[in-house]
Amino acid sequence: MTEYQPPGVSSGGPSGDRRGGSDAAYDAVVLAGGAARRLGGADKPGVRVGGRALLDRVLAACADARTTVVVAGPRPTARPVVWAREEPPGGGPLAALDAGLRHTTAGHVVLLSADLPFLGRGTVEALLAVLSGGTADGVLLTDSDGRDQPLVAAYRTSSLRRELTALTGRHGDLTGLPLRRLTGALDLTRISDPVASFDCDTWDDIATARARIREHGHVLDEWISAVKDELGIDLDVDTGVLLDLARDAAHGVARPAAPLTTFLVGYAAARAGGDREAVAEAARKAAALALRWADEDAPAAGTASGDAAPDATPDTRPEAE
């Protein structure tokens, strides 16, 4: 078993998302059927952090999966998934994993719990990249205390099926068996990421997560991600471009021009195809217009000495006494 710390691996929610990870096709299995005893039996996957259900936040992190299987009773989700259920329900993580794997076909599978508020797509990509580049059976995160988090991990599907078959042969079935019976038999690589591995087991954990996403360095990205989920938009928008545009419109035209201009940019981009390039082009045109508008309000070079502008109408009013 090896320890690995890739450069720059971090999560912190959507602000930690980074493109360009492993190109390997993968499936995702999300375990969302626990009893949540430390939350008083609350519906933990449905608890909202930053306006989004915990389950939807996790589903956003594995949105590139070829197939996403959620092992739990069906519920509304922000994107389509395949539903599975262990038999009997509540049979524990190994039985749930086995039920989820029956719906997967990819060579790699990302295994996640449904209570990871800060898991981002970049961390999922990092797990898959390390798995693809090595020979280990799996790659998992460790938390701030160095403890393994096997439900924030990427595995070779064949390795999981091999060990689940072996455990079933020894015990008759998987009901009630702890997850360590599986992971203890695997060759695992570890990545330290206390943020992405943070899970919500208690109401104090929920309060911590809700407070963190409202911190200055996270709130904007969190809000944009929540809006995109709510509107069903899967678009990697350059928020810096839009913020610059809003600033130019507010300062150069009028404050209400900022939200109205960004709305019109979105509408124009949608008509032009709705991809990142369409947004950038519409924003560029609107920003240039805002700057031209502002320039007209500044004293022209030729009028600083009192000269009239070329197209100005002569003032024929009588001089005031």
Side-chain angles (χ1 to χ4, degrees):
M1 297 185 181
T2 54
E3 295 283 345
Y4 182 82
Q5 175 64 62
V9 171
S10 177
S11 185
S15 62
D17 287 358
R18 292 178 299 279
R19 308 295 176 187
S22 170
D23 292 330
Y26 74 97
D27 293 329
V29 174
V30 181
L31 305 189
R37 292 183 181 87
R38 285 194 278 174
L39 287 176
D43 174 27
K44 182 160 67 168
V47 172
R48 296 186 179 275
V49 173
R52 292 188 290 166
L54 284 171
L55 176 57
D56 283 335
R57 297 177 72 90
V58 172
L59 293 179
C62 59
D64 292 331
R66 190 166 66 185
T67 299
T68 299
V69 186
V70 179
V71 185
R75 67 172 66 227
T77 53
R79 68 181 184 87
V81 300
V82 175
W83 296 98
R85 199 69 166 127
E86 73 275 25
E87 190 59 45
L94 286 186
L97 171 58
D98 183 59
L101 281 181
R102 296 177 188 275
H103 298 273
T104 64
T105 57
H108 295 161
V109 62
V110 172
L111 177 61
L112 304 169
S113 61
D115 60 351
L116 302 165
F118 304 130
L119 181 68
R121 196 175 300 189
T123 299
V124 171
E125 290 175 350
L127 289 167
L128 290 164
V130 175
L131 182 64
S132 298
T135 59
D137 294 313
V139 182
L140 55 75
L141 297 190
T142 58
D143 64 16
S144 57
D145 295 321
R147 293 173 297 197
D148 288 353
Q149 298 296 316
L151 296 183
V152 200
Y155 299 95
R156 299 188 193 279
T157 309
S158 58
S159 298
L160 293 179
R161 290 196 170 117
R162 181 192 69 223
E163 294 306 323
L164 287 172
T165 299
L167 285 168
T168 302
R170 289 198 296 270
H171 298 276
D173 66 41
L174 300 170
T175 301
L177 293 180
L179 195 56
R180 64 178 177 273
R181 294 286 183 90
L182 173 72
T183 55
L186 297 176
D187 176 25
L188 300 175
T189 296
R190 289 163 171 78
I191 295 175
S192 175
D193 193 332
V195 177
S197 63
F198 180 88
D199 56 0
C200 292
D201 289 328
T202 68
W203 288 113
D204 283 345
D205 294 336
I206 296 291
T208 297
R210 287 172 171 170
R212 186 180 188 276
I213 65 168
R214 284 168 171 75
E215 293 173 359
H216 177 70
H218 307 287
V219 66
L220 184 59
D221 284 335
E222 287 284 353
W223 170 248
I224 294 300
S225 294
V227 171
K228 289 194 293 185
D229 269 6
E230 192 72 17
L231 299 180
I233 299 171
D234 186 15
L235 177 63
D236 183 18
V237 177
D238 188 339
T239 55
V241 168
L242 295 180
L243 288 173
D244 287 344
L245 168 61
R247 180 201 62 208
D248 292 341
H251 291 176
V253 183
R255 188 174 298 275
L260 294 172
T261 303
T262 52
F263 165 77
L264 292 172
V265 163
Y267 181 77
R271 294 186 64 183
D275 58 10
R276 182 185 177 96
E277 289 71 24
V279 174
E281 177 62 14
R284 184 194 64 77
K285 290 180 178 178
L289 174 61
L291 292 176
R292 293 198 303 270
W293 186 288
D295 286 344
E296 291 180 11
D297 196 37
T303 62
S305 59
D307 295 338
D311 60 348
T313 301
D315 188 352
T316 59
R317 293 173 299 173
E319 294 288 338
E321 294 295 338

